[in-house]
Amino acid sequence: MSLTPHQEDLGVLRFITAGSVDDGKSTLIGRLLYDSKSVLTDQLSALARAKHKRTAGEDIDFSLLTDGLEAEREQGITIDVAYRYFTTARRKFIIADTPGHEQYTRNMVTGASTAHAAIILVDATRVTEVDGRTELLAQTKRHSAIVKLLGLQHVIVAINKMDLVDYSETIFDNIRAAYLELAQRLGLQDVRFVPVSALKGDNIVYASERMPWYQDEPLLDVLESLPVTQTGGELRFPVQLVARQDGSHADDFRGYMGRVESGTVLVGQSLRVLPAGRTATVAEIVGPRGLLEEAFAGQCVTIRLTEDVDVSRGDTFVGADSALEPSRKLSADVCWFDEDALAPQRKYLLKQATSTVYVKIGSVDTVLDVSTLSHGTDKTTLTMNDIGRVQLSLQKPVAADTYDANPATGAFVLIDEATHHTVAAGMIRALAA
């Protein structure tokens, strides 16, 4: 699809929908796909015949476009993360429809980890008034806190089910004021508000005639115009695999395969190999279609070095002049996924980029209370869906950044060595040797 001279290619936008159960996340995404002409005719026919359809007559149940699991359709809730892709004349989109139930907060974290933006849904019929103030649901606060922790660039608050409150401007303004207060406490920066009815299609793709008091853009126009900050900064190339052609020959090919997570790498560039600190020079860069002179962030390539140095999976190439040094102690925010609580006596593995090391969890400093947004110090462990600040000691050093500096090398997961369950996801906030 070609762009007109007045259109700018803004790149792919990855976004999630988040909110409490029954806020209408799946219905909103289904309506967005339908009204933007991104649903095929045979899909619509299948939806009309679906046995779990919760609409009357020939009306389409838009939530079934994203709720693909049988359990989701039976219960009318989202359990897993559903990814959908669609394109408009202005840009391409990847949507992650994430669960709203507290039990599946870990799935929401997974969906949000690669997103640029979040649509936080607020059900206009479910907010309450406490002492004359509008009170948001606990899950709205929880998801907003996770969005902040993961550093998403944009937040769109879609105040849904406006058709059930007579399209009231007063209710919209009260919810907007309540969320702005929450955003200020969390430190969210770019927050936008759109009053919508996912079921009726108001302000999803087309401006609503039933809310003339809202003069801003409908949801799709907002999504199409969001800028996406591209990954820049210093070179980070975690080695995924060492590729050998024939080790018995003197001219054996030895290449190091992986993805450029940030920065650029050029033929002839001097590198350091961390954590060992050895230096080397780039001899060749091999892409999927042949040799390259340089590779950019997001590209998967194979790098061959001039020197014969010891490099293995888990090592990281950085620029020769980079100040990055390996770290063995980390301070991190983690979201606990597992049904079993954090147990310091158990053995955990930390997987960061392509490296996997044993880790000791030294202490739980604070745990976030999503109801008050305070960081309590009275808890000494983490249970499922808790978000807390912890101190970690690694068996051997890793080449890592803080999450704010580089999400690709500042994020990690914790794995229980005995069960092989992924028990937590974390964002590094500080490092020490």
Side-chain angles (χ1 to χ4, degrees), residues 342 344 363-364 367 377-382:
L342 183 156
S363 65
V364 177
V367 178
T377 58
D378 54 332
K379 293 186 68 173
T380 58
T381 188
L382 295 175

Side-chain angles (χ1 to χ4, degrees), residues 37-283:
K37 307 296 188 292
S38 300
V39 183
L40 300 176
T41 303
D42 58 341
Q43 288 179 296
L44 294 176
S45 300
L47 291 179
R49 300 189 304 270
K51 66 177 180 178
H52 296 301
K53 187 165 75 77
R54 295 185 296 278
T55 54
E58 297 298 319
D59 290 343
I60 299 171
D61 184 353
F62 293 107
S63 68
L64 299 182
L65 283 169
T66 53
D67 288 340
L69 298 178
E70 185 71 11
E72 293 178 319
R73 297 187 174 204
E74 288 178 352
Q75 300 178 52
I77 63 172
T78 300
I79 296 174
D80 200 3
V81 180
Y83 292 95
R84 291 294 180 269
Y85 310 86
F86 77 103
T87 302
T88 68
R90 296 187 64 186
R91 80 186 318 169
K92 298 177 181 178
F93 299 92
I94 301 176
I95 315 168
D97 182 23
T98 63
H101 198 284
E102 180 178 347
Q103 178 182 352
Y104 305 111
T105 298
R106 53 191 174 179
N107 298 36
M108 183 264 178
V109 173
T110 302
S113 62
T114 58
H116 303 117
I119 299 176
I120 303 289
L121 270 84
V122 177
D123 186 339
T125 68
R126 298 176 67 194
V127 295
T128 57
E129 294 292 326
V130 179
D131 297 329
R133 298 177 58 189
T134 299
E135 184 68 24
L136 301 171
L137 295 178
Q139 273 299 82
T140 302
K141 297 177 182 179
R142 178 186 294 272
H143 290 159
S144 299
I146 293 172
V147 164
K148 171 58 180 176
L149 285 173
L150 291 170
L152 271 65
Q153 299 172 24
H154 312 284
V155 177
I156 303 169
V157 182
I159 300 175
N160 193 24
K161 304 186 183 180
M162 292 297 295
D163 55 307
L164 300 181
V165 295
D166 296 325
Y167 301 100
S168 169
E169 182 179 6
T170 300
I171 292 177
F172 171 78
D173 289 340
N174 290 342
I175 296 173
R176 183 178 183 275
Y179 195 92
L180 281 174
E181 182 180 341
L182 172 65
Q184 185 176 12
R185 295 174 67 183
L186 290 173
L188 297 173
Q189 298 298 319
D190 183 19
V191 182
R192 309 167 190 225
F193 297 86
V194 184
V196 303
S197 169
L199 186 62
K200 303 295 184 181
D202 294 286
N203 282 334
I204 303 297
V205 173
Y206 307 107
S208 172
E209 296 180 355
R210 291 176 281 227
M211 288 180 277
W213 45 265
Y214 177 74
Q215 297 295 312
D216 291 327
E217 297 174 316
L219 180 62
L220 182 60
D221 287 358
V222 174
L223 292 171
E224 286 183 326
S225 62
L226 288 180
V228 175
T229 302
Q230 302 298 325
T231 303
E234 296 184 355
L235 171 65
R236 299 290 185 267
F237 182 84
V239 176
Q240 177 77 22
L241 181 68
V242 179
R244 300 289 300 277
Q245 186 174 27
D246 189 346
S248 63
H249 286 65
D251 59 349
D252 169 41
F253 176 90
R254 184 195 298 265
Y256 306 103
M257 305 177 71
R259 184 173 67 180
V260 183
E261 297 294 356
S262 63
T264 59
V265 58
L266 300 89
V267 173
Q269 181 177 350
S270 296
L271 304 175
R272 280 199 304 143
V273 183
L274 297 179
R278 301 180 184 91
T279 58
T281 305
V282 178

Side-chain angles (χ1 to χ4, degrees), residues 289-302:
R289 298 182 180 180
L291 296 179
L292 303 171
E293 286 298 314
E294 61 181 326
F296 306 92
Q299 288 185 285
C300 295
V301 296
T302 301

Side-chain angles (χ1 to χ4, degrees), residues 393-407:
S393 298
L394 311 184
Q395 183 186 47
K396 60 181 182 179
V398 297
D401 296 277
T402 63
Y403 187 83
D404 291 338
N406 193 327

Side-chain angles (χ1 to χ4, degrees), residues 371-421:
S371 297
T372 64
L373 298 180
S374 62
H375 295 269
T377 58
D378 54 332
K379 293 186 68 173
T380 58
T381 188
L382 295 175
T383 56
M384 190 168 70
N385 295 318
D386 276 345
I387 300 170
R389 177 71 56 88
V390 300
Q391 303 300 320
L392 306 172
S393 298
L394 311 184
Q395 183 186 47
K396 60 181 182 179
V398 297
D401 296 277
T402 63
Y403 187 83
D404 291 338
N406 193 327
T409 53
F412 63 87
V413 295
L414 295 178
I415 302 167
D416 188 314
E417 186 194 35
T419 65
H420 299 288
H421 290 170

Side-chain angles (χ1 to χ4, degrees), residues 352-367:
Q352 176 267 340
T354 59
S355 62
T356 303
V357 300
Y358 282 103
V359 61
K360 179 180 179 181
I361 302 176
S363 65
V364 177
D365 295 341
T366 60
V367 178

